[in-house]
Amino acid sequence: MQKRRGLILIELVIALSLLSALLLFSQHWITQQNRNSLAVNDLPMAQQMLKAIEYFWLQERRPPTSLSELVSKGYIATVWQPWPGEWRLQLNANMLRLALPTTDLAVAQRASEQVPGAHVNSANELTLHVFEPVQLALHQRYLHRTVDVTAPEYNQMEVDLNMNGHALDNAGNVIAERVVTTSALIDQATFNQVQAASASVTDLLATNATLGSHDVVLLADRVQQLHEQWQLCLANGGCQ
């Protein structure tokens, strides 16, 4: 009878051990399935968020300062959030980097494997990146023939323009702070200040002009006075 009781106890311990192992395996399997289910949903939601950032950048001509801007301006319904935390945005040249801190490296690594271009950095952050839209980059690099009222900088030069010996034809108004030229043919021009080593002018109309240290206006007035005196002298017959 005692031997039978011992066998029953051993069988009970074995059954409980098997049941515990089965429960642990089932819990691990269920957890793994939940994680896989979340990982499957990560890819479309992450891609949707990244595309919304790129479209925002193209339309607003700047990257978002926070992901909440995507929601508030209607570019996306919700921000992809694989776990609780706050996305950190950093702009580097023509690339926007997104980083989300994590406390579970396994979950973060699994998410990075699902989303192309994502990885987990040394600071235990899931990082993503969005490049500046190609259309916007091309718009910023070239001058535009037509005016874009939303981006006047598209018609502004950022470097010197070297014509390489070619002419600049059919210009309307030329407004410049300084003009340096070896030769110029001008029908009509207005200058605030002119410096020239030599000049050949058919007609010159100036408010103030100086030759050397002499005021041209005063010289012209003096010449006019001398001319009038000479004519008067000739009229009286006293000038030879």
Side-chain angles (χ1 to χ4, degrees):
M1 187 67 177
Q2 292 179 352
K3 183 177 181 182
R4 181 60 182 168
R5 288 180 179 177
L7 291 174
I8 293 175
L9 181 61
I10 293 174
E11 291 172 353
L12 181 61
V13 171
I14 294 175
L16 290 175
S17 299
L18 292 175
L19 182 60
S20 299
L22 180 61
L23 289 174
L24 289 175
F25 176 78
S26 299
Q27 182 181 8
H28 177 74
W29 184 83
I30 293 173
T31 302
Q32 185 67 27
Q33 290 299 315
N34 290 335
R35 287 181 175 178
N36 290 339
S37 176
L38 291 175
V40 170
N41 294 329
D42 280 342
L43 179 58
M45 294 181 64
Q47 288 180 333
Q48 184 181 12
M49 185 181 73
L50 296 177
K51 289 181 180 179
I53 294 174
E54 185 176 2
Y55 188 64
F56 178 99
W57 199 339
L58 180 62
Q59 295 298 314
E60 306 290 336
R61 305 185 191 279
R62 63 172 179 85
T65 56
S66 66
L67 295 183
S68 60
E69 272 195 300
L70 301 176
V71 179
S72 62
K73 294 192 175 184
Y75 288 91
I76 196 174
T78 57
V79 174
W80 175 56
Q81 202 76 35
W83 54 81
E86 183 177 356
W87 285 99
R88 179 172 55 85
L89 278 61
Q90 181 181 4
L91 181 62
N92 297 323
N94 63 336
M95 182 183 69
L96 181 66
R97 187 180 300 275
L98 297 84
L100 179 64
T102 179
T103 56
D104 192 332
L105 290 179
V107 175
Q109 190 63 41
R110 189 172 294 106
S112 68
E113 293 172 356
Q114 293 294 323
V115 181
H119 74 281
V120 179
N121 60 18
S122 58
N124 294 339
E125 295 176 324
L126 175 67
T127 61
L128 307 172
H129 61 269
V130 179
F131 287 98
E132 179 184 16
V134 176
Q135 303 96 315
L136 189 59
L138 292 177
H139 275 276
Q140 293 175 346
R141 291 190 178 188
Y142 300 102
L143 285 177
H144 287 225
R145 295 181 59 203
T146 58
V147 177
D148 189 338
V149 293
T150 62
E153 66 273 12
Y154 288 171
N155 295 97
Q156 297 174 356
M157 293 291 296
E158 294 184 358
V159 297
D160 294 337
L161 182 62
N162 187 343
M163 297 300 295
N164 195 28
H166 296 282
L168 183 63
D169 297 329
N170 200 26
N173 294 329
V174 178
I175 302 174
E177 295 180 0
R178 184 167 177 260
V179 176
V180 178
T181 178
T182 54
S183 63
L185 178 61
I186 303 173
D187 293 333
Q188 183 179 357
T190 302
F191 301 98
N192 293 327
Q193 183 179 359
V194 177
Q195 274 186 323
S198 62
S200 177
V201 182
T202 304
D203 295 318
L204 177 62
L205 177 61
T207 304
N208 296 309
T210 302
L211 294 177
S213 60
H214 302 286
D215 192 324
V216 174
V217 176
L218 295 177
L219 288 175
D221 291 342
R222 182 56 179 164
V223 170
Q224 182 65 27
Q225 292 175 4
L226 292 175
H227 178 71
E228 292 175 355
Q229 291 176 2
W230 177 257
Q231 293 297 327
L232 182 60
C233 182
L234 290 175
N236 294 331
C239 296
Q240 301 294 330

